[in-house]
Amino acid sequence: MAMLLLFFLLAVSVVSADEDAFIGVNLGTDLSNMPSPTQVVALLKAQNIRHVRLYDADRAMLLALANTGIQVTVAVPNDQILGIGQSNATAANWVTRNVLAHVPATNITAIAVGSEVLTTLPNAAPVLVSALKFIHSALVASNLDRQIKVSTPHSSSVILDSFPPSQAFFNRSWDPVMVPLLKFLQSTGSYLMINVYPYYDYMQSNGVIPLDYALFRPLPPNKEAVDANTLLHYTNVFDALVDATYFAMSYLNFTNVPIVVTESGWPSKGDSAEPDATIENANTYNSNLIRHVLNNTGTPKHPGIAVSTYIYELYNEDLRPGSVSEKNWGLFNANGMPVYILHLTGAGTVLANDTTNQTFCVAKDGADPKMLQAALDWACGPGKVDCSPLLQGQPCYEPNNVVTHATYAFNAYFQQMAKSPGTCDFKGVATVTTTDPSHGTCIVPGSVGKNGTIVNGTSLAPSSNSTTSGCLSQYFHGDGSFTSSVIVGILVLSAVLL
């Protein structure tokens, strides 16, 4: 990277590297399709998420976030921009109701005025900068302007000719907005908010962009994209789009406005037209994105400069209109269960629900009882799980139903196999969770016991003289009284994740 400093174009940049980058999450546009605000905050705290972005200023959510220290970005919805942008008093009233009513208990640190206004609500564009200025003036009047920054998120589509990045520029039809906007951001010490979606660039490239390049996967040097003007090498789409934004600002003579990526992610499910919207790809993208951001890697244009990023989004939005993929950008389902377990070893603690022993394998809600019984029999037999705690009189016998017993056996096998991929499936009747299934005196393998120690989950195979190995009938629930699965609906992780 040292050779990059030889390029005059890079040397003149004065973007600051004062702060480390952070990873935040977007809560999504429909709070009614999520757990309660207190449950959402419990998940944020358990996952050590310290930055969250709302798409409005929901009072119940802001109250739930009070006294947590979590840094919150609130938003002026698009349908309020016209009113606020034409009236200083309307802006002041908005700040009074949605900010002053909650600080300092709720740690509001930014206000996003609208979302992708230039591309989704162009009729509000003429008053957009006025709206930002009026909101900022209200903050100045309350002596909050240093604590709370004001900006507005843009779609990356406002940037034309994004590769090579050095040739990128903002759509010139928006210069009457972008120039005063950047002047405002510069003068107030704020940052440009940009939404970066390599998924869409990949989908729209008709095969020109390799999937690995979009997913941050390692590329051989001869496959890296090279900007012929700067000779900078790009190993992923994300960095190229961020640098295109830097260059577009430079084109307008702004070189000291930092960037925050307000949305980025990858859908975990799509219809037949979106074959690469898969759990594996979503996991790969978001895991690599988190690692990339938290390592303070920066971009080729600005190595080591923080590019803080908000993942889109915390929860799937099952009721969201549109394509299948539109509903499936979340890290968690609406019931609090993780869509997938991120691969974050070595990436810090935020969202690191796979870097501790606090992941478990449980019977899937609504699974067929006969399939559960068959899987239970296999785990306690060929699977070599020590199922003696399930015998009558033992700690995990009660409640005596196939769901609870299967959960114990599935999890014991999962821990025994060091949580290897594919070891929590059991023909589709099991799923991974971060909710500890221990109950009463039954402490499952991998759980934190009452003394704070981890129950060993790596040596659960029965001994050669075990009386339970292969005795499948001891775990058969043949009275026909199968009890429905009861799985905690909201994820509340152990404090060990903190």
Side-chain angles (χ1 to χ4, degrees):
M1 286 295 185
M3 64 174 292
L4 302 183
L5 298 177
L6 297 176
F7 291 100
F8 173 77
L9 188 57
L10 301 182
V12 298
S13 172
V14 290
V15 174
S16 172
D18 290 343
E19 298 180 357
D20 287 340
F22 65 77
I23 281 286
V25 294
N26 289 277
L27 281 193
T29 56
D30 184 8
L31 294 181
S32 67
N33 193 35
M34 299 179 195
S36 71
T38 55
Q39 291 172 321
V40 171
V41 172
L43 176 58
L44 294 174
K45 292 169 67 177
Q47 291 286 340
N48 202 28
I49 297 168
R50 308 303 300 165
H51 299 81
V52 64
R53 175 184 172 219
L54 310 183
Y55 285 84
D56 52 20
D58 183 79
R59 181 175 181 274
M61 187 62 70
L62 290 174
L63 289 173
L65 287 162
N67 303 311
T68 64
I70 294 172
Q71 297 188 33
V72 183
T73 296
V74 296
V76 176
N78 281 1
D79 60 6
Q80 297 182 34
I81 291 175
L82 283 172
I84 288 175
Q86 298 178 82
S87 170
N88 206 337
T90 302
N93 287 337
W94 190 93
V95 170
T96 298
R97 291 193 316 272
N98 299 294
V99 178
L100 299 184
H102 297 283
V103 296
T106 302
N107 188 17
I108 297 174
T109 56
I111 300 174
V113 179
S115 178
E116 301 187 346
V117 174
L118 299 186
T119 49
T120 62
L121 194 68
N123 64 308
V127 300
L128 178 59
V129 176
S130 294
L132 271 73
K133 289 181 177 179
F134 289 158
I135 292 288
H136 181 258
S137 294
L139 295 174
V140 171
S142 300
N143 199 29
L144 290 172
D145 54 301
R146 292 189 178 183
Q147 172 188 333
I148 302 175
K149 299 303 179 183
V150 182
S151 188
T152 181
H154 298 285
S155 164
S156 61
S157 63
V158 300
I159 300 169
L160 302 182
D161 292 343
S162 59
F163 200 90
S166 62
Q167 293 183 1
F169 58 93
F170 292 114
N171 186 326
R172 287 174 183 141
S173 65
W174 294 123
D175 280 1
V177 177
M178 291 305 302
V179 171
L181 171 64
L182 292 171
K183 285 183 179 178
F184 168 81
L185 299 177
Q186 184 180 63
S187 65
T188 61
S190 189
Y191 36 81
L192 183 69
M193 294 177 169
I194 191 82
N195 297 339
V196 175
Y197 285 103
Y199 173 75
Y200 288 127
D201 288 83
Y202 164 74
M203 287 289 293
Q204 296 163 9
S205 74
N206 295 318
V208 173
I209 294 178
L211 181 61
D212 287 349
Y213 183 56
L215 293 174
F216 293 92
R217 284 178 177 152
L219 295 171
N222 64 329
K223 296 292 185 180
E224 294 176 358
V226 180
D227 187 323
N229 298 313
T230 62
L231 300 185
L232 296 177
H233 287 237
Y234 287 89
T235 61
N236 61 81
V237 177
F238 180 89
D239 281 352
L241 289 172
V242 172
D243 271 1
T245 309
Y246 280 129
F247 278 108
M249 286 194 288
S250 297
Y251 185 86
L252 296 177
N253 296 316
F254 293 91
T255 59
N256 59 349
V257 177
I259 291 173
V260 168
V261 175
T262 34
E263 294 179 17
S264 193
W266 196 284
S268 60
K269 187 178 181 181
D271 55 29
S272 58
E274 297 180 278
D276 294 299
T278 66
I279 284 180
E280 179 183 359
N281 288 342
N283 195 343
T284 298
Y285 179 81
N286 283 322
S287 296
N288 287 339
L289 171 66
I290 293 169
R291 188 176 296 107
H292 183 68
V293 170
L294 294 184
N295 284 349
N296 288 310
T297 306
T299 65
K301 186 181 192 314
H302 291 303
I305 302 298
V307 184
S308 295
T309 301
Y310 291 84
I311 293 177
Y312 186 84
E313 57 189 328
L314 187 61
Y315 293 103
N316 277 340
E317 297 190 66
D318 297 339
L319 303 180
R320 187 182 179 92
S323 64
V324 173
S325 66
E326 282 296 312
K327 310 173 194 293
N328 289 280
W329 290 82
L331 300 174
F332 295 86
N333 289 307
N335 64 0
M337 299 289 285
V339 178
Y340 46 84
I341 304 299
L342 292 160
H343 305 311
L344 295 178
T345 302
T349 59
V350 62
L351 281 164
N353 50 12
D354 73 326
T355 62
T356 74
N357 286 321
Q358 295 300 286
T359 51
F360 307 91
C361 183
V362 298
K364 188 177 290 185
D365 192 14
D368 180 81
K370 292 183 179 178
M371 293 185 67
L372 284 175
Q373 183 65 60
L376 169 62
D377 291 344
W378 183 90
C380 295
K384 297 184 178 180
V385 167
D386 179 5
C387 292
S388 58
L390 300 176
L391 296 175
Q392 188 168 5
Q394 297 303 307
C396 297
Y397 175 71
E398 296 289 351
N400 182 22
N401 62 67
V402 71
V403 172
T404 305
H405 284 201
T407 287
Y408 180 91
F410 293 172
N411 179 66
Y413 181 77
F414 182 56
Q415 306 292 335
Q416 174 178 302
M417 301 304 292
K419 307 178 190 177
S420 300
T423 59
C424 181
D425 181 69
F426 294 93
K427 295 188 176 180
V429 297
T431 187
V432 173
T433 180
T434 44
T435 301
D436 190 340
S438 298
H439 54 278
T441 58
C442 179
I443 307 300
V444 303
S447 173
V448 176
K450 292 181 179 179
N451 61 358
T453 59
I454 302 293
V455 177
N456 187 1
T458 60
S459 59
L460 297 173
S463 62
S464 59
N465 62 353
S466 171
T467 60
T468 63
S469 179
C471 297
L472 309 186
S473 60
Q474 297 185 69
Y475 314 105
F476 180 72
H477 300 265
D479 58 1
S481 58
F482 296 113
T483 302
S484 298
S485 172
V486 180
I487 295 183
V488 178
I490 175 65
L491 190 67
V492 182
L493 299 184
S494 167
V496 74
L497 284 181
L498 299 176

